[in-house]
Amino acid sequence: MNGNQPQRRIRLCADDYGISPGVNRAIRDLIERERVNATSVMVVGPAAGREEVGILEAAVAHNPHCLIGLHVTLTAPFHPLTLHYRPLQGGLFPPLSKMLRASLSRRLEPEMIFDEVKAQIAAFAERFGRAPDYVDGHQHVQIFPQVRGAFLSAVKNAAPGAWVRQCGRRRPLARRFGMPKALLLDVLSAGFRRQAVRAGVRFNPAFAGAYDFTTPDFGALMQDFLGGSPDDGLIMCHPGFVDDTLIALDPVTDQREREYAFLSGDGFRDMLAANRVTLG
């Protein structure tokens, strides 16, 4: 690496705090080690009660650079907080694929999304005693058509000091086609950023971290994520320890342990130094 390149400050965010005790435990450990400097909390998750919130706050007390945000959740297998929310499938939010199709065909009801996002912000505030530092979305639902306008309005109304996550990369077009998932996020994020600008809501300048959750060499992926991230860029990650709760709720299991193993190890510390990246 070029020792003359400028120092960059990156926001490395561990998603899904609250989905399971094992995920929570891994995230807290990385916060205390100062290997991540943000975590997004799923207030609708089964492990997001007052006790788990209190332990998280204690971990963050050891890492003053760490932010705590809200991970707005609008997809299965989780329940909405608002009683009137639609569409539902078996009493749960619809699966990701159905949510995306409904948003693209404009079959959603933005008023219900607005109310649900506000309810999740209120639940966060009730448990933490304050508004979230930022607001993002589980499975990137916040950038979907129809969702994004309601999401931004709810954030501006209920958490006006928070910034929001956009999921577009900042890299040459020729280097964007290797990961179809990331390319789709680039496209959807363009509209999200335009609406955020009109709404006067702040967002991260660049994003990285999207992949198919099957690559065993997470270190190689992280090197690529760091290389494409400008100063103040955001990288998401999903570290965790597998437990029965996680297995019942999410298909991403063993890969979380691979992410944790890399992020907690000396190799990641050395990678940050070689890339002149700080998480401070």
Side-chain angles (χ1 to χ4, degrees):
M1 295 297 169
N2 182 0
N4 295 321
Q5 67 177 336
Q7 189 86 14
R8 289 174 293 151
R9 179 180 178 276
I10 299 296
R11 186 64 64 184
L12 180 57
C13 179
D15 283 4
D16 298 347
Y17 191 92
I19 196 172
S20 82
V23 168
N24 291 1
R25 185 161 51 89
I27 291 174
R28 291 194 303 265
D29 179 69
L30 293 173
I31 289 171
E32 292 179 351
R33 292 170 182 254
E34 298 190 7
R35 298 302 178 87
V36 300
N37 57 0
T39 188
S40 299
V41 179
M42 304 176 73
V43 295
V44 300
R50 289 186 180 278
E51 182 177 355
E52 292 284 347
V53 164
I55 304 172
L56 172 60
E57 290 180 310
V60 170
H62 294 283
N63 183 350
H65 304 293
C66 187
L67 303 182
I68 304 177
L70 169 65
H71 204 47
V72 166
T73 304
L74 300 174
T75 52
F78 301 96
H79 295 269
L81 297 182
T82 48
L83 296 177
H84 64 282
Y85 185 87
R86 297 293 184 277
L88 296 176
Q89 183 169 312
L92 306 173
F93 290 119
L96 174 62
S97 58
K98 290 191 176 181
M99 189 68 177
L100 179 58
R101 286 197 299 270
S103 73
L104 293 172
S105 58
R106 306 193 67 80
R107 290 185 284 110
L108 298 176
E109 297 187 43
E111 297 83 2
M112 292 187 178
I113 293 169
F114 175 86
D115 289 345
E116 179 62 24
V117 175
K118 278 193 66 176
Q120 293 188 25
I121 294 173
F124 182 103
E126 191 272 333
R127 294 175 206 181
F128 286 89
R130 63 176 180 86
D133 294 314
Y134 62 91
V135 187
D136 57 34
H138 184 53
Q139 298 183 319
H140 316 294
V141 70
Q142 80 277 15
I143 65 174
F144 290 3
Q146 289 198 291
V147 175
R148 55 197 180 206
F151 171 89
L152 290 166
S153 294
V155 171
K156 188 170 184 178
N157 179 277
W163 53 271
V164 297
R165 178 189 292 182
Q166 68 88 20
C167 302
R169 294 169 294 174
R170 184 184 289 183
R171 58 174 54 196
L173 184 62
R175 295 187 58 200
R176 295 189 181 192
F177 294 99
M179 291 188 176
K181 176 181 176 180
L183 184 60
L184 175 61
L185 297 181
D186 287 341
V187 172
L188 293 175
S189 289
F192 179 86
R193 291 193 300 271
R194 288 193 295 269
Q195 286 194 246
V197 169
R198 288 196 297 268
V201 179
R202 296 177 297 124
F203 53 86
N204 52 299
F207 174 80
Y211 70 107
D212 61 7
F213 295 113
T214 62
T215 305
D217 188 356
F218 184 69
L221 285 171
M222 181 56 69
Q223 177 59 61
D224 183 62
F225 298 153
L226 289 174
S229 294
D231 192 44
D232 286 332
L234 170 69
I235 301 175
M236 73 170 181
C237 58
H238 294 79
F241 299 127
V242 177
D243 56 23
D244 290 343
T245 303
L246 179 65
I247 291 170
L249 292 174
D250 197 85
V252 182
T253 53
D254 293 344
Q255 186 66 11
R256 293 182 190 261
E257 296 198 346
R258 284 190 282 270
E259 289 196 20
Y260 169 80
F262 177 76
L263 295 173
S264 62
D266 292 343
F268 180 52
R269 179 200 59 201
D270 296 342
M271 181 181 289
L272 291 174
N275 284 273
R276 292 183 56 79
V277 167
T278 177
L279 301 181

